[in-house]
Amino acid sequence: MKNIRNFCIIAHIDHGKSTLADRMLEFTKSVPQREMENQVLDDMDLERERGITIKSHAIQMEYEYDGEKYYLNLIDTPGHVDFSYEVSRSIAACEGALLVVDSTQGIQAQTISNLYQALDNDLEIIPVLNKIDLQNSMVEEVSDQIIDLIGCNKEDIVLASAKTGEGVDQILRKIVENIPQPKGDENAPLQALIFDSVFNAYRGVISYFRVFNGTIKTNDKIKFMNTQREYTADEIGILKYDLSPCKTLSVGDVGYIISSIKTSTEVKVGDTITSVANPCTEAIQGFQEVKPMVYAGVYPQDAADYEELRSSIEKLQLNDASLTFVPESSLALGFGFRCGFLGLLHMEIIQERLEREFNIDVITTVPNVNYKVYTTKGECLEVYNPSGLPDPSSIEHIEEPYILASIITKAEYIGGILKLCIDKRGILKNQTYISSDRAEIVFELPLGEVVFDFYDKLKSISKGYASFDYHPFDYKHSKLVKLEILLNGDAVDALSTLIYADNAYPFGRRMCEKLKELIPRQQYDIAIQAAIGSKIIARETVKAVRKDVTAKCYGGDITRKRKLLEKQKEGKKRMRQVGNVEVPQSAFLAVLKLD
């Protein structure tokens, strides 16, 4: 036990976590040379294409120090704000953390957010200044920022370059020297925390766990405390580059367990494993229930794929515990699911994973957040979908969720960012200068305004420099209306939104204009209308595709032409009564990119 070190790497997105992990694996020869590639822990194509970590990964390295062999368990973490839940689970399974800061960019919003999470869990922090080989690195300036942030000494900061491998040996020595060994009692009842799980088509559910107390052996009878289900540990082992089976795992070990679990709903991430013969009295603390921030409907393009979509989402949920879903139906789209996501990037990633990993084409509706609706009878309803809104006459008032957003930016972009936040109905709470040219701005913002295009606009205003982090704050009274889109008089429930009253008119008008471009022309006119209740606030018409029926009338009396046109008009009218308008998937997504 004294030779085990469990640690994670925390950093802002793009500060070099995955590259640093690559160098450490190379240095300790944990990955066979021919298997070595960039971002070796990011095993999804999607992660490599986008250059981001989506899933946390765990791997064990062996490192020799002063003639003794040490086992270093790295539990990798994602950096993007939408995956902060993954970070919280990784932190719960560790005793220490490497705080990686990019020496060309300095401290960013996500760095601070993840650091506070690690400090709340009493982790030992090792500061690492990365990318020192670049010409524009500001070693002195960023070192001062780190010292201000965590109160360490200058000599505690490790200067490293994940690209060239400089400083990696020093980082590994610091991990052995500074991070405490795991605490726990080998003879106590078994107590282990599940921090991740994956589904394997041949072996069922594989759960990754960290042992806090006791010992687990192959073929032990075990119990999951949350679900109260009992299993046999068919295979346990250590997470090397591949799964490496072994007979026993003890306090501080990070490993995997296969116990022929076939259904993904039986495993809850954050659950505690204990033994049936000698169970522990209480579950491990520190696990949070995840709270989705954004909701959207996910429907199969072909109604026959409904059951397949259900099993695919269940398997994804096993691998990504922050995804939640409940069945729902829509008049326009048939049967599907209302899914909860941590943010827009999370929603985009899930949609892409469904298409790539499970070959299912899905339609995603306009994302929205959950509102609290107070009725005149004094009831409080949680509404996730505008179609679930009660009759307007019975609504007392509506409250919408607010977030506390922290934005770190260069001083020259502050004006544009303040204007953006105020346009989004934000309230400025605080503005502090971290250094002479970098400031932290704290805003209270309505979540409904942030889910659409806030992040993209922030990046374009700040030329990519501003970093953004947020957490849920409170619900506040708000003046919201339900905006519906009608096609030929029929409401398309998948396009309806709850929106702030003052923004409804311009939004409705832009939406109608956008739909006019996207909906293909039919044999008859299509009226696209935006309505609040029974009041139409905007209208566009998609003109019919017409055959020139008067082409054969050359000269003669005008009534001959008129008769033919009237006959065509009647036919179009009849066709419109039986025809239905197909709304393409691009129309649902276009709402996100209205600007």
Side-chain angles (χ1 to χ4, degrees), residues 81 109 113 293 402-408 417 421 424 426-431 440-447 450 454-455 458 467-474:
V81 59
S113 162
M293 307 285 278
Y402 270 67
I403 57 170
L404 209 56
S406 156
I407 299 166
I408 293 182
I417 289 171
C421 293
K424 296 280 186 189
I427 304 160
L428 180 63
K429 292 310 248 181
N430 196 1
Q431 184 178 334
E440 181 183 21
I441 308 168
V442 179
F443 259 93
E444 255 177 47
L445 283 162
L447 181 60
V450 174
F454 180 82
Y455 195 64
L458 177 71
S467 61
F468 173 64
D469 180 47
Y470 62 82
H471 52 86
F473 171 61
D474 200 5

Side-chain angles (χ1 to χ4, degrees), residues 433-497:
Y433 278 84
I434 299 170
S435 65
S436 57
D437 66 335
R438 284 161 59 83
E440 181 183 21
I441 308 168
V442 179
F443 259 93
E444 255 177 47
L445 283 162
L447 181 60
E449 296 279 354
V450 174
V451 297
F452 280 117
D453 51 3
F454 180 82
Y455 195 64
D456 295 344
K457 283 185 172 172
L458 177 71
K459 283 291 180 195
S460 54
I461 287 171
S462 65
K463 299 190 171 56
Y465 276 108
S467 61
F468 173 64
D469 180 47
Y470 62 82
H471 52 86
F473 171 61
D474 200 5
Y475 278 81
K476 289 193 171 187
H477 193 296
S478 193
K479 192 171 72 175
L480 298 164
V481 291
K482 181 181 175 184
L483 178 72
E484 288 190 297
I485 298 295
L486 312 175
L487 296 180
N488 283 347
D490 297 329
V492 182
D493 54 355
L495 285 173
S496 60
T497 50

Side-chain angles (χ1 to χ4, degrees), residues 1-7 60 70-73 75 92-96 122-124 175-176 178-186 191 210-214 249-254:
M1 188 167 91
K2 71 180 196 336
N3 287 15
I4 296 175
R5 300 288 183 270
N6 295 322
F7 70 101
Q60 188 180 81
Y70 285 85
Y71 299 96
L72 314 180
N73 292 316
I75 300 172
C94 294
E95 275 85 29
D122 290 338
L123 299 199
E124 180 67 39
I175 290 169
V176 172
N178 294 8
I179 293 177
Q181 67 177 56
K183 297 185 186 73
D185 181 1
E186 288 185 12
Q191 201 180 28
R210 145 86 202 265
V211 183
F212 279 90
N213 280 310
L249 290 175
S250 186
V251 175
D253 280 325
V254 174

Side-chain angles (χ1 to χ4, degrees), residues 147-215:
I147 292 166
D148 286 349
L149 183 67
I150 58 175
C152 61
N153 298 322
K154 193 164 184 180
E155 53 273 14
D156 295 341
I157 300 172
V158 183
L159 302 182
S161 165
K163 195 173 175 185
T164 62
E166 186 185 340
V168 171
D169 187 30
Q170 199 185 343
I171 292 171
L172 291 167
R173 283 207 305 276
K174 287 256 187 192
I175 290 169
V176 172
E177 290 166 4
N178 294 8
I179 293 177
Q181 67 177 56
K183 297 185 186 73
D185 181 1
E186 288 185 12
N187 303 316
L190 174 66
Q191 201 180 28
L193 172 77
I194 299 177
F195 63 85
D196 201 1
S197 50
V198 291
F199 186 82
N200 183 306
Y202 303 105
R203 314 196 67 181
V205 177
I206 304 175
S207 302
Y208 299 156
F209 65 92
R210 145 86 202 265
V211 183
F212 279 90
N213 280 310
T215 306

Side-chain angles (χ1 to χ4, degrees), residues 241-285:
Y241 180 64
D242 293 316
L243 302 181
S244 164
C246 64
K247 294 286 183 212
T248 311
L249 290 175
S250 186
V251 175
D253 280 325
V254 174
Y256 70 91
I257 180 167
I258 301 173
S259 44
S260 50
I261 301 171
K262 292 288 181 280
T263 51
S264 46
T265 46
E266 292 177 29
V267 179
K268 294 268 193 298
V269 168
D271 203 349
T272 303
I273 304 176
T274 188
S275 69
V276 174
N278 184 11
C280 61
T281 50
E282 56 181 42
I284 295 165
Q285 298 300 312

